[in-house]
Amino acid sequence: MLLWSLWSAILLLTPLEAAEEDDVRAGCSTAVNDLVYIVDGSWSVGTSDFETAKQWLINITSQFDISSQYTQVAVIQYSDTPRLEISLGIHQGGPKLIEAIQGITYLGGNTQTGRAIKFAVDHVFSSSQRASQVKNRIAVVVTDGKSQDDVVDASVEARAEGVTVFAVGVGSEITTSELVSIANRPSSAYVLYAEDYTTIDRIRDNMEQKLCEESVCPTRIPVASRDEKGFELLLGMNIQKKAKKTSGSLISEAAYSLTASTDITENTRDIFPEGLPPSYVFVATLRLKGSSSKLTFDLWRVLSKDKEIQAAVTLSGNDKSVTFTTTSRTENWQRITFKNGFQNLYDGKWHQLKVLVRPSQVTSFLDDQPIQKIMLEPVEPMYINGKTQVAKRRGTDITVPVEIQKLRLYCDPHQSERETACEIYSVCPLNRTATDEEEDCNCVVGPKGQAGLPGRMGFRGEKGREGPPGPDGKSGKDGTHGDLGPSGFTGMKGEVGPAGLSGDPGLKGLKGDRGDPGLSGETGPPGTKGLPADKGELGPPGEAGPMGEPGLPGSGGLVGTTGPKVSADCSF
């Protein structure tokens, strides 16, 4: 009996263990989202533009795997009142969802945006059948005009319930302050604009990227008074704990020195649990000294369970090149090699390397200078059951000695424009103090010389780079009430509005009580005798009728009496 129990336990555990060993892909398409579109259907939109808005929703939704396991989508159309067009989880597949969106009919009416947001929070998100499993609750509000009700309270309640709200304004009638009130902070990340519905598809890629960032990039990196979504690999890969701290490119900067005995390896599921977005920026500030400047190694790589490369940035000191590797829909992987412009990266000094990845192209930078842009084929979500490593010889687990000051992956591709290399003295020497090593001088330091003669005034410097946007300002104090203005002129009579909707039929009335029978009336007097009628004229004789059937034979007559007796006298 004991042996049988053990065997049963083994049989039960085996499928579970096998499932855990299977490698799985992760990315935007496999994110676990409850996504609710709140779409303006008021009179100002119009039938044609409303159809365009529906197609825009379809285009954006196509990047997700619509299923009970991954993303579920609901659609609310609103005007005077919100109308739930598609419930969460009712369509378990992309084609069915697309068909349902195409079948939505235009409402028309006024603009009650706040009421629609509250409806989404109270009745749509709360109806989800997988509230404990869903990782992201996202609402996208699409509107072309100012709301006729308050949006602030409803939006605050949405955020308090853990709903991330994006606001998409279309056209020139929108109010920026209202969109900012609706959306999450910072508004630069959660508010989008389109000139009109005919150009709304221009912000499709941006909207897709924002939704994907929200799905796969939960962590934040403090940068220039704002938080950027991404992955701080120095922290996530435990480099700060495993490597020796050393001087960085500036006195104010710290770096970490990796040696051959330093193993920087972590489970990919712990670093990128939801995979990577379609666009991101890889940034590394590093110094290659000695033999490391002559070797070929993966500065950063993500391996599958079978040790196939899913993503990597490879440095080659032999030919002074940089290679980016990623997945491919047609092959196991694709490699993009930047062969020119990286000679200085291997000169033994501090440098910043950036690789900007977009769905169709990859751009490389060195010390803020763009080097090369190369086209990229469509990629597949990467496997996450393997390992992520730093500074490893290609094809081995051997660590290459390297000094690293920054190692980050930003989800927002626009961070490539904001991220400067001014942490390096040679890039931004003004108002900076280099470390002794940065001077790279092996000479003997002599005594301090006498002050020289004053030099001539230098030329005016070039305009500096635009700094990162500042944080959102605090709300100003309420102003005093102005004096009552004069009465306006009576406006012209407006056009007759559209017919209102038919009201619901009223309730059926109760049956009345039966009344008592009335009293019998008195007998009336006899009526007067009518006058005799005149005798009518004699009508014409009728046609002869058909011969009747023979009558029945009559009964026998009575027997007659005996007559008198006569004598026989023959003479006359």
Side-chain angles (χ1 to χ4, degrees):
M1 184 67 181
L2 179 60
L3 187 61
W4 172 255
S5 299
L6 289 173
W7 177 247
S8 300
I10 291 172
L11 290 177
L12 289 172
L13 287 173
T14 300
L16 187 60
E17 291 173 352
E20 291 177 352
E21 291 177 357
D22 291 341
D23 214 347
V24 295
R25 291 188 185 272
C28 296
S29 61
T30 59
V32 184
N33 300 325
D34 275 352
L35 176 59
V36 178
Y37 294 115
I38 304 173
V39 187
D40 189 347
S42 62
W43 291 122
S44 59
V45 176
T47 304
S48 177
D49 286 342
F50 185 73
E51 292 298 316
T52 302
K54 284 162 48 179
Q55 186 58 48
W56 188 71
L57 299 184
I58 291 172
N59 292 342
I60 294 172
T61 307
S62 63
Q63 72 171 321
F64 295 108
D65 185 339
I66 307 301
S67 66
S68 59
Q69 184 178 2
Y70 298 123
T71 293
Q72 294 185 347
V73 174
V75 179
I76 299 169
Q77 182 187 180
Y78 74 93
S79 54
D80 291 282
T81 58
R83 185 171 75 185
L84 181 59
E85 305 286 4
I86 300 174
S87 301
L88 276 174
I90 194 172
H91 296 296
Q92 301 300 334
K96 290 291 186 182
L97 176 63
I98 290 173
E99 183 180 351
I101 294 176
Q102 290 172 336
I104 297 174
T105 58
Y106 171 55
L107 268 176
N110 297 308
T111 308
Q112 302 275 346
T113 309
R115 189 175 184 181
I117 296 173
K118 182 170 178 57
F119 177 82
V121 175
D122 294 346
H123 302 287
V124 182
F125 283 109
S126 61
S127 69
S128 177
Q129 300 299 313
R130 50 175 198 167
S132 60
Q133 291 84 26
V134 71
K135 295 184 178 179
N136 307 292
R137 307 169 78 202
I138 305 171
V140 179
V141 180
V142 184
T143 181
D144 78 334
K146 180 175 174 57
S147 178
Q148 293 168 316
D149 66 349
D150 177 62
V151 300
V152 175
D153 289 345
S155 301
V156 170
E157 180 184 353
R159 290 191 288 273
E161 292 295 325
V163 177
T164 300
V165 185
F166 288 89
V168 180
V170 185
S172 58
E173 299 299 320
I174 55 176
T175 305
T176 301
S177 60
E178 181 174 292
L179 295 179
V180 171
S181 298
I182 292 173
N184 278 50
R185 299 285 192 275
S187 58
S188 58
Y190 294 96
V191 176
L192 290 82
Y193 299 91
E195 294 179 4
D196 50 42
Y197 282 99
T198 62
T199 62
I200 192 173
D201 209 46
R202 295 179 184 176
I203 63 171
R204 171 185 169 184
D205 289 346
N206 198 10
M207 187 75 252
E208 288 180 355
Q209 174 69 19
K210 295 294 185 185
L211 288 175
C212 195
E213 288 176 18
E214 202 64 34
S215 302
V216 306
C217 302
T219 56
R220 301 276 184 165
I221 302 174
V223 178
S225 301
R226 56 182 286 165
D227 290 345
E228 292 291 344
K229 288 190 174 183
F231 304 90
E232 176 57 271
L233 298 179
L234 281 178
L235 181 63
M237 296 294 298
N238 290 314
I239 295 176
Q240 294 171 324
K241 295 180 179 179
K242 295 180 178 181
K244 181 182 178 181
K245 190 173 182 180
T246 186
S247 300
S249 61
L250 300 171
I251 292 177
S252 59
E253 300 289 340
Y256 298 88
S257 179
L258 277 60
T259 65
S261 61
T262 309
D263 180 24
I264 308 298
T265 301
E266 298 293 338
N267 293 325
T268 298
R269 189 181 288 276
D270 296 333
I271 308 301
F272 307 110
E274 305 296 333
L276 292 173
S279 296
Y280 58 88
V281 187
F282 174 82
V283 182
T285 302
L286 72 161
R287 178 163 59 175
L288 306 176
K289 298 177 67 176
S291 62
S292 64
S293 63
K294 301 176 183 178
L295 299 174
T296 297
F297 67 97
D298 296 326
L299 176 61
W300 164 71
R301 70 186 182 194
V302 180
L303 303 176
S304 68
K305 181 176 63 69
D306 298 327
K307 296 189 176 181
E308 293 289 336
I309 290 182
Q310 305 298 296
V313 174
T314 305
L315 309 185
S316 177
N318 184 36
D319 58 5
K320 306 295 189 292
S321 66
V322 173
T323 299
F324 172 72
T325 304
T326 187
T327 58
S328 172
R329 291 184 182 176
T330 57
E331 304 290 340
N332 290 335
W333 40 258
Q334 53 183 321
R335 285 179 181 161
I336 306 296
T337 299
F338 304 98
K339 297 182 179 180
N340 300 313
F342 283 101
Q343 288 80 5
N344 290 343
L345 179 61
Y346 302 91
D347 63 5
K349 298 181 181 180
W350 285 103
H351 293 283
Q352 186 194 79
L353 168 66
K354 281 195 302 190
V355 179
L356 170 59
V357 181
R358 288 188 177 276
S360 59
Q361 65 185 26
V362 182
T363 308
S364 58
F365 299 80
L366 183 64
D367 298 336
D368 283 350
Q369 299 302 313
I371 302 300
Q372 194 176 3
K373 182 184 297 183
I374 299 179
M375 300 306 294
L376 187 67
E377 297 296 326
V379 303
E380 283 280 89
M382 68 181 190
Y383 293 109
I384 61 169
N385 280 19
K387 303 291 184 180
T388 295
Q389 298 179 315
V390 172
K392 296 291 185 180
R393 291 285 296 269
R394 174 58 66 93
T396 74
D397 285 331
I398 300 173
T399 300
V400 173
V402 61
E403 293 181 4
I404 299 177
Q405 180 171 295
K406 178 184 292 184
L407 196 65
R408 291 174 177 171
L409 195 149
Y410 295 104
C411 292
D412 184 359
H414 294 290
Q415 183 61 21
S416 177
E417 305 161 12
R418 299 188 287 263
E419 186 84 359
T420 70
C422 281
E423 62 194 291
I424 300 173
Y425 181 78
S426 60
V427 176
C428 302
L430 296 179
N431 300 322
R432 298 283 182 169
T433 303
T435 62
D436 293 338
E437 292 183 352
E438 179 63 34
E439 297 297 338
D440 218 14
C441 178
N442 294 322
C443 56
V444 178
V445 179
K448 184 176 180 180
Q450 296 180 353
L453 296 174
R456 291 178 297 176
M457 180 179 292
F459 297 104
R460 180 184 295 274
E462 296 181 358
K463 182 179 179 181
R465 299 183 184 86
E466 183 177 353
D472 295 340
K474 297 181 179 179
S475 302
K477 296 181 179 179
D478 294 338
T480 57
H481 290 286
D483 297 330
L484 185 65
S487 300
F489 297 104
T490 303
M492 299 177 62
K493 184 177 181 181
E495 298 179 359
V496 177
L501 300 176
S502 300
D504 296 330
L507 299 175
K508 185 176 179 181
L510 299 174
K511 185 175 180 180
D513 297 332
R514 186 174 180 179
D516 297 330
L519 300 174
S520 300
E522 297 178 358
T523 303
T528 57
K529 186 177 181 180
L531 298 174
D534 294 334
K535 185 176 181 180
E537 297 179 356
L538 183 65
E543 297 179 358
M547 181 179 292
E549 296 180 358
L552 298 173
S555 57
L558 298 174
V559 179
T561 60
T562 304
K565 187 176 180 179
V566 179
S567 59
D569 185 3
C570 296
S571 63
F572 292 97

